[in-house]
């Protein structure tokens, strides 16, 4: 079996923690590991790391590598989508990769899973996984459904039909319902939340592609290298729409493990530990006479007084406050931010790169301050700026600095000045992280003022 982990999507429902440049699969919401690392670890009792394929894109590759290291699964494969084309092309790309690169045969089972869900306990999930494998070996497309315990309007639903082995044939898929419809689904008893997880053999998947998605199938049949080159020609379509809603071989397996796709701050509240007043608290926060409230503090003290059924999420540049039950509307807030051209919709104050990360500390007319951390042995690209100068002050570690024709080593409390129109590069030659403060001065401080002569290491 090969586990296909989809980690290329970016969501807005957990804004302001989740943003385009740092989506929720990389967040650490319920422990020391990110949701992606937890997803990887979930399958280790049954498969080796080399049997996992993480599908992502170029922008997130350094995040994925970091999480593979954190999960101690460096041998897992990273498959980069050449373009964003939704889940059906992504899974088809992974299937072709398994055939042509990993040497799998057509009977190999693929287990497809999102990378940003919470599933527990692990023992029950492994039992469900083994049942799904058994059904997949019978030539079925297996989708996993979750028995609802409340009328949720944020999930799609699967209507179960006649029984088949340990599962049910799928009668229909239903889009996210309104409250009244969700209540009717719960009362009917044969509707399940759509978890987005699938299991099938490569042969079965290819056969269904040939029946229902000829355009995708034709590109898949051309082979992995040709498919990679032509990937942008793929239609953008989800696996649900492409195959699941059409296939006559679809079986739904109810899972008994606890599942939560944490697609909203209400869902985050549900999975976090609570105090005696049912408050979920993280960070520096002081609640007084508060109940049933979520407070997530990131960079400052939050004091709550007399709050009930309130959600508060704070980062160093955004504070979101919502009533419980209304957090699905956070995506509407993000839409408005994008319409207004606000950078907060896409970028947090801290951006991660292959060489380390940088955090914006302050911005004003003609200046910007950043904290830059460069990992040992890494360097930024050789670059210059037409409209700004830079001043670097080392906080800790050792910096190797190239400015024009000169090269020097800077240590703690030492600094260097980079004039406008001057080639420069920053490197960490030491064994410890390099931390420094960068002060930019100039008439224009946009990232597009950086002219790079070696872009291997990405943007500052």
């Amino acid at each position: 079996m090969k586990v296909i982990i989809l980690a290329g999507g970016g969501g807005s429902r957990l804004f302001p923690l989740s943003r385009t440049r740092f989506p929720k699969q990389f967040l650490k919401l319920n422990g020391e590991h990110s949701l992606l690392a937890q997803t990887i670890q979930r399958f280790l009792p049954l498969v080796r790391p080399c049997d996992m394929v993480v599908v992502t894109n170029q922008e997130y590759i350094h995040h994925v590598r970091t999480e593979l290291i954190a999960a101690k699964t460096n041998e897992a494969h990273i498959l980069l989508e050449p373009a964003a084309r939704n889940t059906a092309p992504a899974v088809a790309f992974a299937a072709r990769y398994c055939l042509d690169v990993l040497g799998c045969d057509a009977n190999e089972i693929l287990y497809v899973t999102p990378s940003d869900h919470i599933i527990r306990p692990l023992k029950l999930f492994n039992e469900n996984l083994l049942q799904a494998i058994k059904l997949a070996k019978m030539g079925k497309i297996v989708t996993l459904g979750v028995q609802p315990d409340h009328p949720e309007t944020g999930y799609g639903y699967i209507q179960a039909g006649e029984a088949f082995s340990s599962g049910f044939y799928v009668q229909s898929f239903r889009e996210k319902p309104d409250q009244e419809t969700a209540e009717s689904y719960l009362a009917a008893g044969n509707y399940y939340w759509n978890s987005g997880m699938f299991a099938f053999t490569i042969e079965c998947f290819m056969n269904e592609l040939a029946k229902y998605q000829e355009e995708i199938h034709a590109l898949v049949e051309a082979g992995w290298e040709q498919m990679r080159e032509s990937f942008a020609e793929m239609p953008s379509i989800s696996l649900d729409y492409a195959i699941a809603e059409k296939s006559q071989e679809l079986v739904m397996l109810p899972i008994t493990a606890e599942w939560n796709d944490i697609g909203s701050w209400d869902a985050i509240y549900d999975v976090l530990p609570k105090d005696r007043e049912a408050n979920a608290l993280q960070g520096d926060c002081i609640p007084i006479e508060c109940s049933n409230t979520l407070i997530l503090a990131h960079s400052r003290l939050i004091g709550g007084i007399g709050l009930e059924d309130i959600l508060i999420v704070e980062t160093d540049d955004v504070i979101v406050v919502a009533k419980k039950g209304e957090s699905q509307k956070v995506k509407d807030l993000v839409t408005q931010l994008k319409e207004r051209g606000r950078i907060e919709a896409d970028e947090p104050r801290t951006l991660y790169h292959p060489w380390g990360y940088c955090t914006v500390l302050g911005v004003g007319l003609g200046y910007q301050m950043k904290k830059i951390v460069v990992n040992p042995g890494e360097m930024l690209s050789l670059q210059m700026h037409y409209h700004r100068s830079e001043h670097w002050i080392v906080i800790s570690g050792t910096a190797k600095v190239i400015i024009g024709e000169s090269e020097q080593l800077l240590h703690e409390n030492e600094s260097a000045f980079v004039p406008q129109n001057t080639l420069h590069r920053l490197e960490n030659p030491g064994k410890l992280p390099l931390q420094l403060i960068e002060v930019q001065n100039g008439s224009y401080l946009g990232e597009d003022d950086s002219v790079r002569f070696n872009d291997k290491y990405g943007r500052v």
Side-chain angles (χ1 to χ4, degrees), residues 197-302:
M197 293 184 284
F198 293 87
F200 41 72
T201 65
I202 295 178
E203 180 180 33
C204 180
F205 176 66
M206 294 299 184
N207 288 341
E208 299 303 278
L209 274 181
K211 289 178 186 176
Y212 305 112
Q213 298 295 325
E214 295 181 3
E215 186 177 356
I216 297 177
H217 184 258
L219 290 171
V220 173
E221 285 295 288
W224 185 71
E225 289 291 350
Q226 182 61 40
M227 187 181 181
R228 182 172 60 176
E229 294 178 6
S230 306
F231 194 84
E233 301 173 16
M234 291 272 198
S236 180
I237 187 170
S238 70
L239 192 57
D240 282 355
Y241 286 136
I243 290 179
E245 294 188 4
K246 301 177 175 66
S247 177
Q248 301 300 306
E249 303 298 335
L250 190 69
V251 172
M252 190 274 295
L253 174 70
I255 62 174
T256 54
E258 178 186 347
W259 171 90
N260 194 321
D261 85 333
I262 55 172
S264 69
W265 287 114
D266 283 290
I268 292 293
Y269 171 83
D270 290 339
V271 301
L272 291 179
K274 318 290 192 302
D275 65 13
R276 289 179 298 178
E277 287 73 37
N279 297 309
L281 309 171
Q282 284 189 357
D284 192 5
C285 46
I286 300 175
I288 298 175
E289 297 181 6
C290 295
S291 62
N292 301 306
T293 290
L294 169 72
I295 304 178
L296 298 186
H298 176 265
S299 61
R300 70 199 87 187
L301 168 66
I302 295 181

Side-chain angles (χ1 to χ4, degrees), residues 48-116:
R48 301 167 299 171
C50 62
D51 291 320
M52 299 183 192
V53 179
V54 182
V55 184
T56 189
N57 58 61
Q58 184 64 48
E59 186 172 1
Y60 300 151
I61 184 172
H62 52 284
H63 293 309
V64 172
R65 285 175 174 161
T66 298
E67 298 310 321
L68 290 179
I69 293 172
K72 299 180 181 179
T73 53
N74 304 48
E75 301 87 356
H77 304 269
I78 300 177
L79 181 59
L80 296 181
E81 295 175 279
R85 286 297 180 269
N86 216 316
T87 54
V91 174
F93 194 40
R96 191 75 253 180
Y97 179 83
C98 290
L99 288 171
D100 293 0
V101 180
L102 302 186
C104 300
D105 63 35
N107 293 319
E108 186 84 30
I109 290 175
L110 303 185
Y111 189 92
V112 179
T113 178
S115 57
D116 52 6

Side-chain angles (χ1 to χ4, degrees), residues 146-190:
V146 181
Q147 183 76 54
D149 57 10
H150 65 276
E152 174 61 54
T153 61
Y155 300 150
Y157 284 73
I158 303 170
Q159 184 182 15
E162 295 181 6
F164 177 86
S165 185
S166 56
F168 300 89
Y169 280 109
V170 173
Q171 188 168 331
S172 68
F173 278 80
R174 302 296 175 93
E175 296 292 337
K176 297 175 183 178
D178 58 26
Q179 184 66 27
E180 183 179 353
T181 304
E183 290 173 359
S184 70
Y185 289 168
L186 186 64
N190 66 328

